[in-house]
Amino acid sequence: KENPFSSLEYAVKKASELKQKNKNISIEIKIGSGDYYLKKAIEITPKLSGLTITGNTSDVTLKGSVPLNLDWSKLNDTIFVADVKEGLDFDQLVINNKPQILARYPNYDETAHYWQGFAADAISKERIATWKNPKGAYFNALHGGKWGGFHYVITGVNEDGTAILKGGQQNNRGSKPHEEYRMVENVLEELDSAGEWFLDKKKNKLYYWPLANTNLKTAKVEVSVLKDLIQVVGTLENPVKNITISNISFQNTQRTFMEEFEPLLRSDWTIYRGAVLFFEGTENCKVEDNEFTNLGGNVIMASKYNKGLQITGNHIHDAGASAISFIGDASAVRSPSFNYGQYIDANKLDTVAGPKNELYPRECLVENNLIHRIGRVEKQTAGVQISMAMDITVRHNSIYDVPRAGINIGDGTWGGHILEFNDVFNTVLETSDHGSFNSWGRDRFWLPKRNVMDSLTMGIPDMYTWDAVKTTIIRNNRFRCDHGWDIDLDDGSSNYHIYNNLLLNSGLKLREGFNRVAENNIMVNNSLHPHVWFANSQDVFKHNIVADTYQDVGLLGWGKELDYNLFPNEESMMKSQIYNRDMHSTYGDPMFKNPSELDFTVSENSPALKIGFKNFSMDEFGVQKESLKKIAKTPEVPVIKDLSENKSSPVVAWLRNNIKSVDSEQEQSAYGLNSAEGVIILRIWKPSPAVQNNGIKKGDVILKAGGKKVKNIQDFFKINVENKTDMLDLVVMRNQAEKEIRIRVK
């Protein structure tokens, strides 16, 4: 303590030398109070196995930034300028420990829904014409269906004045950039509000409009120069073992959204395989009681082979991408495909169950972490992301204020995960068609062509177990999503057991897939959303409390068992009974004890108890570590709604076919639409002229008619009235692909 090492890098070097002499020696590096600016990421190799790095006090900070001593001068009444060292490149400016705003249009507004401020004309020709040098500007836009985001760098300007863009690799479900939800940054001419800055890399000048009460003569100025801070990297054959990293604050790294991204099988994700704290080829390592803040990209990643990694008691907030990611290697997947529309022919499939090699995370733990305000830059992100992994436990975490899912599982490979006692809310804040928990299961059995998939899964009913070899358990969690579903099992997600969960707003969606058992859950203000179930899905839904009738879409069958559930009224229950389901279910007031305090246990005389529902704990959700629990938010208390009336758009007849307007994000998701607009064909009448000669089909969604966009039934009928011919050209969404057809209307 009296004669410390001069830097962490030097201490690690000395530890390595000691380990070379005696590999069994136990070494702990204690870091004293202060800020430590790393020149490059600390590398921990297998020869350092057993090493502990810990903060010896409560104010130890590792930074990916460098401090600057600048001589500021006034450019005008508001903007200051200073010379910086030649070749210095950074994308984050921190003044007095507060990140500043890279010059952007429109200006930053914390209350704005998308990008903290969006504008359709972000890169319009007219706007670009006002910039002296557009090269190097970043164009950020949501996906056309708001399924995440895209990022581009402007490399030049075309002859017509439009931007030349490079990028867009950050999403695995292609689309054009959203026409409205756009933002541009890193443009000098857009430096027009307090807190904004711009670096002129050619002239080596930094421009800045200080926030009120900022004294630049005494201000602490830092700029981010590193992407990552600690890399723990071994191999499957020679792993790094028993590393512990604790009691450190990790801060100020660069953004990584323009790095090389790779697709995560057929999920909607691509990802940069890197993080501030990166593990690959490790066993029994620990990340305990740290803070991670003001970081530009992914925070913690377990890549490829990792066994027994424990991530516990950490506070992760204000990060550019995902908080915690478990990402296996695609070489471990049998017959992998890498995009929504790709598929390997059935006669060429590897039919062996389970992983092909050992390059994937397994038996890892994420517990007692507080995660919020992540995905500040990238929108296809999650509090916890799992892909190509097995047996990951996610327990007692509080996750909120995120642009997309709180917890996301990208595929069925290979299951065995346990998600329990988490508190996940304020999710899908900047995207759509998603959930507080989201999953996909676009595994070997799945493909967008429904009729082919039906044939495969009828012929090999257990085909889904080739990848989802173990059951994933979701239990004793509290979820609330106001912009999607509380739990969203999308496209083929299979082999789940979902029980004892409190769903506060948007219910449970189960799309396609097999063998999902959902029991003893409470769905406040909502219900089950069975989307496109197979005839042999084997799904079970029992002993649940729902607040509305089932919201079904495109079912071939009603599962193995739907029964012993509590509905709010007889009408909502009868819809299921028409299909010979819920014959032992009942209806009535569940008699929640104290919903105003988020206590949804039912009273002793509740009708729910008579159909087998059992109360579960209401006070164990979320982070339990006392210091984090004190500062963690909890979800907004729902106002119990009267859902007895049908508030959806009316069903009307057109040429004796039943149609209705798309009127919800749920229907947008169900039919694979980019927006909640269009007209759904609910039921066809085969003799109808519109059906004849390969015309409309049940489940089509009319997007255009006569060359005009169709937002709703009113638009469609107006176009029909204006059409003076016997024929009408339509663009419909069919099996999640646009198709042009010509129909007879007379």
Side-chain angles (χ1 to χ4, degrees):
K1 187 175 179 180
E2 289 72 29
N3 188 24
F5 291 105
S6 60
S7 68
L8 178 59
E9 294 95 324
Y10 189 54
V12 172
K13 180 182 177 183
K14 295 300 289 186
S16 182
E17 292 172 359
L18 288 169
K19 279 284 191 179
Q20 247 178 337
K21 295 176 182 177
N22 180 2
K23 67 179 181 179
N24 295 319
I25 192 172
S26 177
I27 299 178
E28 181 176 9
I29 297 175
K30 293 186 176 182
I31 310 176
S33 175
D35 292 341
Y36 296 82
Y37 298 94
L38 299 183
K39 293 181 174 62
K40 64 177 183 177
I42 300 294
E43 296 180 3
I44 299 176
T45 62
K47 64 185 178 183
L48 282 167
S49 289
L51 179 67
T52 292
I53 302 177
T54 185
N56 203 34
T57 62
S58 60
D59 57 348
V60 173
T61 303
L62 292 189
K63 293 188 173 184
S65 54
V66 295
L68 299 182
N69 185 16
L70 301 176
D71 184 14
W72 294 98
S73 61
K74 264 199 166 187
L75 181 68
N76 54 38
D77 290 342
T78 56
I79 298 174
F80 288 73
V81 63
D83 292 324
V84 298
K85 183 180 178 181
E86 184 177 353
L88 184 63
D89 190 5
F90 54 90
D91 66 0
Q92 187 159 213
L93 172 68
V94 182
I95 305 287
N96 294 331
N97 297 316
K98 180 179 175 61
Q100 305 301 296
I101 301 164
L102 184 57
R104 53 169 282 169
Y105 172 78
N107 289 334
Y108 184 95
D109 177 1
E110 182 64 36
T111 65
H113 199 167
Y114 304 107
W115 301 116
Q116 287 72 57
F118 58 87
D121 66 339
I123 57 167
S124 66
K125 291 188 293 185
E126 294 76 15
R127 190 149 210 100
I128 290 174
T130 67
W131 305 337
K132 186 176 180 180
N133 182 18
K135 290 184 179 180
Y138 295 118
F139 171 52
N140 308 280
L142 287 189
H143 182 283
K146 298 193 289 185
W147 299 335
F150 296 110
H151 309 271
Y152 305 85
V153 63
I154 297 178
T155 61
V157 180
N158 292 306
E159 290 184 4
D160 64 356
T162 57
I164 301 172
L165 300 175
K166 179 182 178 182
Q169 74 273 23
Q170 306 87 359
N171 199 295
N172 199 30
R173 192 85 181 268
S175 84
K176 295 180 180 178
H178 199 284
E179 295 292 338
E180 183 178 5
Y181 302 132
R182 300 172 162 214
M183 182 267 287
V184 67
E185 57 184 345
N186 201 32
V187 180
L188 177 59
E189 287 81 1
E190 302 299 348
L191 203 169
D192 58 358
S193 66
E196 290 193 338
W197 65 275
F198 176 81
L199 173 65
D200 188 327
K201 297 176 186 178
K202 287 188 176 180
K203 297 180 180 179
N204 302 308
K205 291 186 179 293
L206 173 62
Y207 298 85
Y208 175 55
W209 182 332
L211 292 169
N213 302 317
T214 301
N215 184 345
L216 288 181
K217 290 183 179 180
T218 60
K220 180 181 179 182
V221 180
E222 302 172 66
V223 295
S224 297
V225 294
L226 298 181
K227 296 192 294 287
D228 43 39
L229 299 181
I230 296 181
Q231 305 283 287
V232 186
V233 178
T235 64
L236 175 65
E237 297 76 19
N238 186 23
V240 186
K241 298 181 179 180
N242 304 312
I243 302 297
T244 298
I245 299 169
S246 64
N247 295 306
I248 300 170
S249 179
F250 295 82
Q251 298 181 17
N252 301 354
T253 58
Q254 290 186 323
R255 305 187 299 179
T256 57
F257 62 93
M258 291 306 299
E259 298 290 330
E260 181 179 349
F261 278 56
E262 62 181 88
L264 296 185
L265 300 183
R266 289 196 287 172
S267 80
D268 288 0
W269 280 57
T270 61
I271 199 168
Y272 164 59
R273 193 179 285 272
V276 171
L277 192 47
F278 183 80
F279 294 85
E280 185 171 289
T282 75
E283 292 181 0
N284 303 320
C285 294
K286 296 179 180 180
V287 181
E288 299 176 333
D289 304 324
N290 302 284
E291 180 186 25
F292 298 86
T293 186
N294 190 29
L295 302 169
N298 298 316
V299 178
I300 302 171
M301 180 177 288
S303 169
K304 302 182 181 179
Y305 175 68
N306 287 270
K307 182 179 181 180
L309 175 63
Q310 297 184 18
I311 303 170
T312 62
N314 302 284
H315 186 192
I316 304 173
H317 61 104
D318 294 280
S322 292
I324 300 170
S325 304
F326 297 92
I327 309 296
D329 189 77
S331 69
V333 181
R334 299 180 186 275
S335 299
S337 295
F338 296 96
N339 189 269
Y340 180 90
Q342 292 179 354
Y343 185 73
I344 295 174
D345 289 339
N347 58 1
K348 297 179 181 178
L349 284 175
D350 183 340
T351 61
V352 176
K356 196 173 183 179
N357 61 41
E358 299 296 319
L359 296 179
Y360 61 90
R362 82 286 304 275
E363 300 171 32
C364 298
L365 174 67
V366 178
E367 184 173 28
N368 255 325
N369 300 284
L370 174 56
I371 300 170
H372 57 107
R373 286 176 61 87
I374 54 95
R376 305 301 291 171
V377 179
E378 300 174 35
K379 304 309 173 188
Q380 191 69 274
T381 50
V384 179
Q385 163 69 359
I386 301 171
S387 178
M388 296 173 284
M390 184 187 290
D391 297 331
I392 308 299
T393 297
V394 183
R395 175 191 300 141
H396 279 304
N397 302 283
S398 292
I399 305 173
Y400 53 83
D401 295 347
V402 300
R404 204 134 175 79
I407 302 173
N408 187 79
I409 297 178
D411 46 71
T413 54
W414 288 275
H417 314 305
I418 298 175
L419 315 179
E420 60 184 2
F421 298 105
N422 299 289
D423 200 10
V424 187
F425 57 96
N426 287 5
T427 58
V428 198
L429 294 180
E430 295 182 70
T431 56
S432 73
D433 190 6
H434 216 52
S436 287
F437 169 81
N438 181 84
S439 66
W440 291 287
R442 299 168 186 157
D443 304 326
R444 275 178 272 183
F445 74 89
W446 188 93
L447 73 166
K449 296 179 180 178
R450 179 68 188 274
N451 59 334
V452 180
M453 184 163 55
D454 290 344
S455 175
L456 283 173
T457 56
M458 289 297 289
I460 313 174
D462 64 348
M463 190 176 180
Y464 69 92
T465 63
W466 294 354
D467 289 307
V469 293
K470 293 186 176 182
T471 301
T472 290
I473 295 172
I474 304 176
R475 64 188 178 199
N476 297 100
N477 302 280
R478 181 167 63 189
F479 294 109
R480 174 166 181 164
C481 185
D482 291 9
H483 307 280
W485 289 271
D486 296 334
I487 297 179
D488 181 356
L489 270 63
D490 209 354
D491 291 355
S493 299
S494 299
N495 203 359
Y496 279 77
H497 191 188
I498 303 168
Y499 62 96
N500 291 3
N501 297 285
L502 175 58
L503 311 185
L504 288 175
N505 190 71
S506 299
L508 167 65
K509 171 187 161 190
L510 303 177
R511 182 183 175 97
E512 299 171 344
F514 297 89
N515 191 25
R516 283 82 58 94
V517 178
E519 54 186 338
N520 216 72
N521 302 285
I522 300 172
M523 298 175 199
V524 180
N525 292 336
N526 216 294
S527 189
L528 169 68
H529 295 252
H531 287 190
V532 201
W533 282 9
F534 299 109
N536 60 335
S537 72
Q538 299 300 302
D539 287 335
V540 173
F541 187 80
K542 61 183 181 181
H543 306 305
N544 300 285
I545 298 174
V546 300
D548 200 359
T549 189
Y550 301 147
Q551 306 295 304
D552 57 288
V553 175
L555 302 192
L556 293 180
W558 275 90
K560 179 180 179 181
E561 181 184 6
L562 282 77
D563 210 350
Y564 299 99
N565 299 298
L566 180 68
F567 291 84
N569 52 56
E570 186 177 16
E571 181 184 6
S572 59
M573 182 180 67
M574 286 178 62
K575 179 177 180 181
S576 180
Q577 291 182 340
I578 293 172
Y579 298 97
N580 200 32
R581 296 293 186 269
D582 283 294
M583 303 309 293
H584 299 94
S585 295
T586 188
Y587 60 90
D589 182 354
M591 300 181 183
F592 297 129
K593 285 185 177 179
N594 194 4
S596 63
E597 298 294 329
L598 290 172
D599 180 0
F600 285 85
T601 53
V602 301
S603 301
E604 291 74 9
N605 56 345
S606 168
L609 300 176
K610 297 177 182 178
I611 47 89
F613 176 83
K614 296 179 181 178
N615 280 318
F616 52 89
S617 177
M618 293 284 161
D619 57 6
E620 298 182 73
F621 304 121
V623 64
Q624 301 296 301
K625 180 182 175 182
E626 195 58 37
S627 61
L628 296 179
K629 190 174 182 178
K630 284 181 180 178
I631 61 175
K633 295 197 315 190
T634 54
E636 182 180 348
V637 177
V639 177
I640 307 298
K641 300 176 183 177
D642 178 10
L643 296 176
S644 59
E645 296 181 11
N646 181 11
K647 298 178 177 63
S648 62
S649 297
V651 176
V652 299
W654 166 71
L655 299 178
R656 300 190 70 175
N657 306 290
N658 286 354
I659 64 174
K660 72 177 289 290
S661 299
V662 176
D663 63 2
S664 68
E665 290 187 349
Q666 288 83 358
E667 288 178 339
Q668 174 189 344
S669 170
Y671 293 97
L673 308 174
N674 283 337
S675 62
E677 297 177 336
V679 170
I680 306 169
I681 310 297
L682 292 176
R683 187 170 67 90
I684 61 169
W685 183 58
K686 289 185 178 180
S688 173
V691 176
Q692 300 300 305
N693 300 316
N694 296 316
I696 60 170
K697 297 182 181 296
K698 179 182 177 181
D700 284 351
V701 180
I702 301 172
L703 306 177
K704 290 184 179 179
K708 297 179 180 179
K709 186 175 182 179
V710 175
K711 292 184 178 180
N712 49 41
I713 284 176
Q714 289 79 7
D715 283 354
F716 184 57
F717 281 145
K718 182 179 178 182
I719 294 168
N720 272 271
V721 170
E722 294 172 349
N723 179 39
K724 305 302 181 184
T725 71
D726 293 346
M727 308 299 292
L728 183 63
D729 291 326
L730 302 180
V731 175
V732 299
M733 183 67 78
R734 181 179 293 171
N735 296 326
Q736 302 205 25
E738 291 188 10
K739 182 178 181 64
E740 296 181 2
I741 61 174
R742 173 167 288 186
I743 63 169
R744 182 172 293 279
V745 293
K746 294 180 182 178

